[in-house]
Amino acid sequence: MHKILIAFSLVLAILFNNSCASIKGDNPYFYYVMCKYAYLNQDFKSAEELCEKTKQILPKNRQIYKELMKIYLKQLKIKKFYKTIEEYLAKYNSAEDYYYVIDLLLKINSFKKANEYLTKALKKYPNNVKLKLLKAQLIFKKGDTSKESIQFLKKLLQEANKNQYLKERKHKIAYILARIYLLKGDIKTAIKILEENPEYKSKEGYAILLELYKETKDYEKAEKLLKEVLKKYPKNLDALNRLFQLYVDTNQYEKAKEIIDKIIKLNPKGKDVLLKKFFLYLKLGKVDEFIKALEKLKDKYKDNFEYHFILGMAYEEAKDYKNAIKHYQKAKNLRPENTEVYERLAIAYTNLKQYDKAIEELKQAINLKPDDYQLYTALSQVYELKGDYKKVVEVLEEATKKFPNNAVLYYYLAIAYDNLDNWKKTEHYLKKALEIRPNFPDALNYLGYSYIIRNTNIDEGIKLVKKALQFEPNHPAYLDSLAWGLFKKGKYKEALEYILKAYEKMSDDPVINYHYGRILEELGEKSKAKELYEKALNLLEKLDKEPEKGITKKIKERLKNLKW
């Protein structure tokens, strides 16, 4: 910007020195330069006045009209903008003049006006290839799938074989025609058009054709295309990454492994290469092998953040939390501003039941990134695991003050009060969450299930749970809630239908096992009910905390009172 201002200062100086007398009169060049100067400084009102003054003195200057068009657009003075175009084309109507106006109209998506002037221009200059390309652009921008538009593009594509200007842009015409066929839902024709154009098998253009192959699930052609590109350009990282992803998507993990190794050799410090390799080894169930491979690179990557972060994740996956912490700490030292590392450390410490250390990490993260509400929820969850429910409430209440319109925080706050046996506040905050986000399925289910188990308003509870299921029809917890509500209403057969769906998806949940048992017991299948009660007790023994207060006692009572 400083260079531009200096340049204009020099122009002004020359004008003042060479024509001082004429400046005192109406010097159009002075007004024009001042107009440009005002425009560059975003003083559009002054620019308009100065350029209008120039136009009055020099009414036959093309550039003044162009400047005024831009100035009116900047000020959103649309009527004046269109009026200036009319004046301009009344005076200047060469193919280039039409091209300038139509191109400007297309840039602001004024399709109706663009089409109006384009029709006039092509009538006057029917063989102008630049104007024809503008029409192709208009068809593309409008998404015009009419027969006339398709015929025009086909004809233009054929013409490109004879005209050098069009030939250099043939791939663009082919792309537009292919996109129009895609809008019509004719993917096969779109693919054929691109396949016939060598540009779409080149280093630059193959990605579009590749995505169409993937969309039609023609993975063999997709693989073949990528291999053709890589044969010509073996170090093309984009193509290698796309081939890696193709193999992952089609469950060809061993082939993916070969490709990721090539990528790492070509780009060892790539931002996400190690992460991709990690997730691939996860899928292959070879985390230990991945760890060994990375440990061999420790000297090479000792000061690499991604290396330590991903190795930490690998150790975490292998449940070696001490080594995970060691590498997360190194990553943290390398990038102390990265809050994600603090979160990973908190998770590792939590798994070791070192809750105070986890809390400290999350507090540091909040200091670094106070506008991330998820850090507050993570901190509250660690306090919950520690059994300090008052602290859970304290953290979440602080968060709700900072984020008063966040439904998730009110939902967690409701759960915190539920753990403190404060039903009044639990209900209040669940309703608050739903007031902010009426279609929040977790909150709908929690409030509905709470009404059901408390026998306060079973019908309303069922209604809320059914609404939650509209958003997530296969959620096992929601299915279980509905089954329990129907059980409470004495609709045992209907309840069985939903509990079976829940059990199918989450057979290791003690609450679902208990509910399934109760429903079967009422339907007379006491032997199967007994099995489910015993299974539920075994599952509960493995947990640190009951998922639902008093459930162990209830199951034992059912077993004790079960009558044959």
Side-chain angles (χ1 to χ4, degrees):
M1 179 59 80
H2 292 303
K3 289 181 180 178
I4 292 168
L5 295 180
I6 290 165
F8 272 107
S9 298
L10 288 171
V11 171
L12 287 171
I14 292 164
L15 283 168
F16 271 108
N17 290 332
N18 293 337
S19 53
C20 191
S22 61
I23 286 171
K24 290 176 183 176
D26 282 338
N27 187 322
Y29 304 106
F30 172 75
Y31 290 124
Y32 177 69
V33 170
M34 291 304 293
C35 165
K36 293 284 285 181
Y37 181 83
Y39 183 88
L40 286 168
N41 282 280
Q42 298 186 19
D43 181 1
F44 302 122
K45 188 179 178 182
S46 297
E48 180 186 343
E49 290 172 3
L50 290 158
C51 267
E52 283 285 7
K53 185 75 174 174
T54 310
K55 192 178 93 170
Q56 288 171 15
I57 303 166
L58 292 176
K60 294 183 180 180
N61 186 291
R62 269 186 171 88
Q63 193 58 35
I64 293 299
Y65 287 91
K66 291 179 180 180
E67 296 296 340
L68 279 166
M69 286 179 214
K70 289 193 294 182
I71 292 164
Y72 291 137
L73 268 184
K74 284 288 184 183
Q75 297 179 94
L76 299 177
K77 293 184 176 181
I78 305 303
K79 285 185 179 178
K80 283 192 172 185
F81 168 69
Y82 286 132
K83 187 183 176 184
T84 305
I85 287 175
E86 289 288 347
E87 289 177 10
Y88 176 74
L89 289 176
K91 290 177 183 287
Y92 315 106
N93 47 34
S94 68
E96 288 74 19
D97 292 316
Y98 274 110
Y99 183 91
Y100 176 82
V101 168
I102 297 160
D103 184 51
L104 184 60
L105 289 166
L106 285 176
K107 283 174 183 173
I108 63 166
N109 295 329
S110 180
F111 301 140
K112 190 177 178 181
K113 282 285 183 184
N115 188 54
E116 181 187 321
Y117 292 123
L118 196 51
T119 303
K120 288 179 184 176
L122 283 169
K123 194 173 181 181
K124 195 169 185 178
Y125 306 101
N127 298 315
N128 188 285
V129 291
K130 288 187 177 181
L131 290 171
K132 287 180 181 180
L133 281 172
L134 277 183
K135 182 169 181 177
Q137 193 180 332
L138 176 62
I139 290 167
F140 174 66
K141 284 200 163 196
K142 283 176 69 180
D144 184 355
T145 59
S146 65
K147 285 182 181 178
E148 293 79 11
S149 293
I150 289 171
Q151 283 302 117
F152 173 81
L153 291 169
K154 282 182 176 178
K155 194 175 175 182
L156 193 62
L157 202 56
Q158 289 171 352
E159 195 179 336
N161 295 321
K162 300 172 186 175
N163 182 287
Q164 186 59 36
Y165 184 85
L166 288 177
K167 194 173 185 178
E168 290 169 5
R169 293 155 181 82
K170 187 180 177 182
H171 63 285
K172 292 182 179 178
I173 304 165
Y175 174 73
I176 291 170
L177 184 56
R179 295 302 301 182
I180 294 301
Y181 273 110
L182 280 175
L183 287 172
K184 284 174 67 70
D186 190 347
I187 297 176
K188 286 184 180 178
T189 304
I191 289 172
K192 188 181 175 186
I193 290 162
L194 295 179
E195 282 179 335
E196 289 170 355
N197 195 306
E199 184 77 21
Y200 291 100
K201 291 191 177 182
S202 73
K203 184 179 178 182
E204 291 79 20
Y206 71 91
I208 297 160
L209 184 55
L210 174 68
E211 289 309 310
L212 292 181
Y213 284 144
K214 286 171 75 175
E215 196 171 328
T216 54
K217 294 183 169 51
D218 195 339
Y219 299 119
E220 283 186 22
K221 279 192 175 180
E223 182 182 6
K224 187 181 175 184
L225 173 63
L226 286 166
K227 284 183 173 178
E228 282 178 20
V229 173
L230 287 166
K231 192 174 180 180
K232 292 179 185 176
Y233 312 100
K235 294 182 179 180
N236 185 328
L237 283 168
D238 181 71
L240 282 166
N241 274 299
R242 288 176 186 273
L243 185 57
F244 166 80
Q245 194 58 51
L246 178 69
Y247 286 143
V248 170
D249 292 343
T250 53
N251 301 323
Q252 299 181 69
Y253 299 129
E254 290 298 337
K255 285 185 178 180
K257 185 174 175 290
E258 290 176 25
I259 300 300
I260 199 66
D261 287 339
K262 284 182 184 179
I263 294 169
I264 289 171
K265 279 183 183 177
L266 286 170
N267 187 27
K269 293 187 178 180
K271 190 175 180 183
D272 61 349
V273 286
L274 289 176
L275 191 61
K276 283 180 178 177
K277 186 166 182 173
F278 169 57
F279 286 122
L280 175 62
Y281 273 70
L282 266 184
K283 285 182 178 288
L284 289 167
K286 295 182 177 179
V287 176
D288 291 339
E289 191 179 319
F290 176 76
I291 290 169
K292 284 176 187 175
L294 278 197
E295 285 289 7
K296 289 177 183 176
L297 301 171
K298 62 183 177 184
D299 293 331
K300 189 175 181 180
Y301 291 107
K302 63 181 180 180
D303 295 324
N304 184 287
F305 169 84
E306 281 80 14
Y307 169 80
H308 289 293
F309 186 78
I310 292 162
L311 189 50
M313 287 175 71
Y315 274 119
E316 189 183 323
E317 182 64 28
K319 295 186 173 19
D320 184 348
Y321 301 117
K322 287 183 180 178
N323 269 315
I325 288 166
K326 182 178 85 173
H327 285 283
Y328 286 146
Q329 286 288 5
K330 286 180 180 177
K332 181 180 168 182
N333 291 337
L334 287 164
R335 285 195 200 162
E337 76 286 356
N338 188 304
T339 55
E340 202 174 341
V341 189
Y342 295 81
E343 290 181 72
R344 300 310 315 178
L345 276 165
I347 291 166
Y349 282 129
T350 299
N351 280 307
L352 291 172
K353 299 193 187 319
Q354 296 179 23
Y355 300 123
D356 289 336
K357 286 185 178 180
I359 287 164
E360 184 55 38
E361 293 297 334
L362 289 168
K363 282 182 175 179
Q364 287 180 46
I366 288 169
N367 284 334
L368 285 168
K369 202 174 178 183
D371 292 329
D372 186 350
Y373 83 90
Q374 290 179 326
L375 292 172
Y376 287 91
T377 61
L379 180 59
S380 72
Q381 285 164 2
V382 178
Y383 276 122
E384 185 178 342
L385 288 167
K386 194 181 175 185
D388 192 343
Y389 299 116
K390 287 184 179 178
K391 268 289 184 184
V392 176
V393 167
E394 188 182 306
V395 168
L396 292 170
E397 283 188 336
E398 181 189 341
T400 54
K401 286 174 186 173
K402 193 171 182 62
F403 309 97
N405 297 313
N406 190 304
V408 174
L409 290 171
Y410 288 110
Y411 170 69
Y412 282 122
L413 186 54
I415 295 170
Y417 274 115
D418 201 13
N419 284 321
L420 290 170
D421 294 320
N422 190 332
W423 165 241
K424 190 177 178 181
K425 286 203 171 182
T426 300
E427 184 182 27
H428 169 76
Y429 285 116
L430 284 169
K431 285 182 174 179
K432 179 72 176 174
L434 289 167
E435 183 186 312
I436 296 166
R437 190 172 145 195
N439 297 330
F440 187 175
D442 280 343
L444 286 164
N445 176 68
Y446 202 103
L447 183 57
Y449 185 64
S450 297
Y451 286 147
I452 291 164
I453 59 172
R454 283 175 171 80
N455 298 312
T456 53
N457 193 341
I458 295 170
D459 289 331
E460 178 63 16
I462 289 171
K463 184 181 171 184
L464 290 165
V465 172
K466 281 183 175 178
K467 189 175 178 182
L469 281 164
Q470 287 175 10
F471 301 102
E472 293 187 48
N474 298 313
H475 197 298
Y478 305 171
L479 290 165
D480 173 65
S481 297
L482 181 54
W484 199 236
L486 293 166
F487 170 84
K488 288 285 186 90
K489 296 292 287 183
K491 298 178 180 180
Y492 304 127
K493 286 185 179 179
E494 201 176 338
L496 181 63
E497 180 189 332
Y498 288 101
I499 201 67
L500 281 169
K501 290 179 183 177
Y503 186 79
E504 186 183 331
K505 296 179 184 302
M506 200 185 284
S507 61
D508 59 349
D509 183 273
V511 177
I512 290 174
N513 276 271
Y514 167 61
H515 289 167
Y516 189 9
R518 283 293 285 116
I519 293 164
L520 288 177
E521 186 183 342
E522 291 299 327
L523 289 168
E525 295 186 41
K526 294 181 181 179
S527 178
K528 179 65 175 172
K530 183 174 180 288
E531 287 177 24
L532 288 162
Y533 292 149
E534 288 170 347
K535 183 183 174 185
L537 285 175
N538 288 331
L539 290 166
L540 284 164
E541 283 174 10
K542 296 173 186 176
L543 301 176
D544 295 330
K545 178 190 167 188
E546 283 187 320
E548 194 174 298
K549 283 182 182 179
I551 190 169
T552 306
K553 187 181 176 183
K554 286 178 186 176
I555 296 169
K556 286 178 178 177
E557 283 175 359
R558 293 313 309 170
L559 281 167
K560 185 180 176 181
N561 299 321
L562 199 62
K563 293 178 181 179
W564 301 90

